[in-house]
Amino acid sequence: MCEKSYNINMELTQLKYFLEVARTEHVTQSAKNLFIVQPALTQSIHKLEDELGIPLFKNQGRNIKLTENGRFFYEKLRPIYEELMALPQLLRDSADKQNYNVKLNVLAASTLITQAVIDYKQNNHELNIDLIQNEETKMFDICVRTYATYKPELDNTESDETFVTSEQIFLAVPSMSDYKKLDRISLFDIKENFIGLYGSKQYRKICNELCASIGFKARLTFESDNVLAVKEAIAAGIGVGFWPEISWGKMDHKKIHLLEITDADFKRDIVVSLRRNKQDNSKTETFYRFLTHYIDHRRHRKIR
């Protein structure tokens, strides 16, 4: 059985005209409502009927009425047309909502970045900052990472703007008599076990690489996913640990002493990347400026 094929090329204007005539069932009044001349409206309706191959209206005295097929077409078309006409505003609303949402991928300096978010939200309640930790994704607006030494060719995030700053890594030790008079120390003079921050993969990798570069292997005996727990363990004399200058900030524990490591240039680079993913990136960029300024301000503070 051969099915009949139709070449239908309905235009939005045709559909708009049809819906108005179907609503009023009066061509003259519809033409006035649409601000067009009656012959143009009549011609548009006839063209639509020709394209569909089905009469949509029938004459009834001096007026017109929808045919049964015309009524069916009207009832199906009206909600579709209304949704279609609402799409531009919905799109604008979606774009505006996206502007007030920032996806922040935190792969390094999580303690510092979390505090920055808290401080920013105090005066910017309307901004939603979505914190994620995903080394594989490129679905972010801002990403915070770390490298031993940052090189642009290492960046595969397709960023539009990048902020880079270096932070020194100190050795945090208990304030015991053996250490309290020292400012600098060689890792080879350390007899205690090491305490680490669990889950900080990039930072831990950098510390391991720095130690390996001088032929030193730290005896890691305890890990915690909480910075405060690591600090308390060091203060209690359980072990020693690496203290990142900017990320952990100013010394806030009287029982901990920070020493400069003499064996090599112990530091890392913190990298903040910005991607302009939206039609309006103003809110994202404002937070990015705040975040980079926040980090830079912390860098200039003396931690000891």
Side-chain angles (χ1 to χ4, degrees), residues 85-128:
M85 290 299 99
L87 273 178
Q89 184 59 49
L90 290 174
L91 185 61
R92 287 189 289 269
D93 291 344
S94 176
D96 187 59
K97 184 177 180 180
Q98 288 180 23
N99 184 35
Y100 281 87
N101 186 78
V102 175
K103 190 175 291 293
L104 176 60
N105 194 13
V106 184
L107 302 178
S110 58
T111 302
L112 171 66
I113 302 305
T114 302
Q115 188 58 54
V117 170
I118 293 171
D119 290 352
Y120 189 79
K121 288 280 290 181
Q122 289 180 353
N123 297 313
N124 298 273
H125 306 289
E126 77 287 353
L127 188 68
N128 177 45

Side-chain angles (χ1 to χ4, degrees), residues 22-293:
R23 185 183 69 83
T24 65
E25 292 188 325
H26 198 289
V27 177
T28 302
Q29 185 60 49
S30 294
K32 290 181 180 179
N33 294 343
L34 294 167
F35 301 102
I36 61 173
V37 295
Q38 182 174 327
L41 179 58
T42 301
Q43 182 181 5
S44 177
I45 296 298
H46 287 332
K47 183 180 179 182
L48 178 60
E49 289 178 322
D50 290 342
E51 289 179 354
L52 293 172
I54 296 173
L56 301 173
F57 296 95
K58 61 183 178 182
N59 292 321
Q60 186 170 324
R62 301 179 64 180
N63 298 320
I64 61 169
K65 292 291 182 181
L66 283 164
T67 64
E68 185 175 342
N69 288 326
R71 177 64 61 183
F72 175 83
F73 186 54
Y74 173 70
E75 291 176 352
K76 295 294 184 182
L77 175 62
R78 184 175 60 179
I80 296 174
Y81 182 85
E82 289 174 352
E83 287 187 12
L84 186 61
M85 290 299 99
L87 273 178
Q89 184 59 49
L90 290 174
L91 185 61
R92 287 189 289 269
D93 291 344
S94 176
D96 187 59
K97 184 177 180 180
Q98 288 180 23
N99 184 35
Y100 281 87
N101 186 78
V102 175
K103 190 175 291 293
L104 176 60
N105 194 13
V106 184
L107 302 178
S110 58
T111 302
L112 171 66
I113 302 305
T114 302
Q115 188 58 54
V117 170
I118 293 171
D119 290 352
Y120 189 79
K121 288 280 290 181
Q122 289 180 353
N123 297 313
N124 298 273
H125 306 289
E126 77 287 353
L127 188 68
N128 177 45
I129 301 177
D130 184 13
L131 293 171
I132 60 173
Q133 284 186 320
N134 189 334
E135 293 187 4
E136 304 299 326
T137 187
K138 292 185 179 180
M139 299 298 293
F140 62 81
D141 300 306
I142 299 173
C143 183
V144 182
R145 294 160 295 148
T146 185
Y147 300 89
T149 302
Y150 173 72
K151 298 177 182 178
E153 57 266 27
L154 298 174
D155 193 344
N156 63 352
T157 60
E158 301 174 3
S159 304
D160 295 307
E161 190 172 335
T162 302
F163 167 86
V164 183
T165 190
S166 294
E167 70 169 344
Q168 188 172 354
I169 298 173
F170 290 86
L171 185 70
V173 298
S175 294
M176 300 186 302
S177 57
D178 293 345
Y179 297 120
K180 63 182 180 181
K181 293 182 179 181
L182 298 178
D183 291 323
R184 308 167 79 231
I185 197 169
S186 168
L187 292 180
F188 294 97
D189 293 333
I190 298 297
K191 306 303 180 184
E192 287 81 9
N193 294 323
F194 276 73
I195 297 170
L197 187 63
Y198 177 77
S200 183
K201 295 180 181 179
Q202 293 184 351
Y203 175 60
R204 183 165 53 184
K205 180 182 177 182
I206 289 171
C207 289
N208 290 342
E209 289 176 352
L210 289 170
C211 289
S213 70
I214 60 171
F216 178 80
K217 185 174 178 62
R219 298 184 303 276
L220 187 65
T221 58
F222 174 75
E223 289 182 293
S224 174
D225 58 1
N226 187 296
V227 173
L228 182 59
V230 172
K231 292 180 179 180
E232 292 295 340
I234 295 172
I238 296 174
V240 299
F242 293 114
W243 184 294
E245 173 186 19
I246 302 173
S247 306
W248 289 15
K250 188 175 180 180
M251 172 50 61
D252 54 1
H253 206 302
K254 294 181 179 180
K255 295 183 179 181
I256 295 178
H257 187 48
L258 298 184
L259 302 176
E260 183 180 343
I261 300 169
T262 61
D263 306 291
D265 187 13
F266 266 68
K267 70 174 187 64
R268 69 166 175 170
D269 288 341
I270 295 177
V271 181
V272 185
S273 301
L274 169 69
R275 297 183 68 198
R276 296 182 175 92
N277 301 315
K278 310 163 189 171
Q279 182 180 8
D280 184 355
N281 293 282
S282 58
K283 300 296 182 183
T284 299
E285 291 189 19
T286 299
F287 175 66
Y288 173 79
R289 306 293 172 215
F290 171 86
L291 183 59
T292 54
H293 177 77

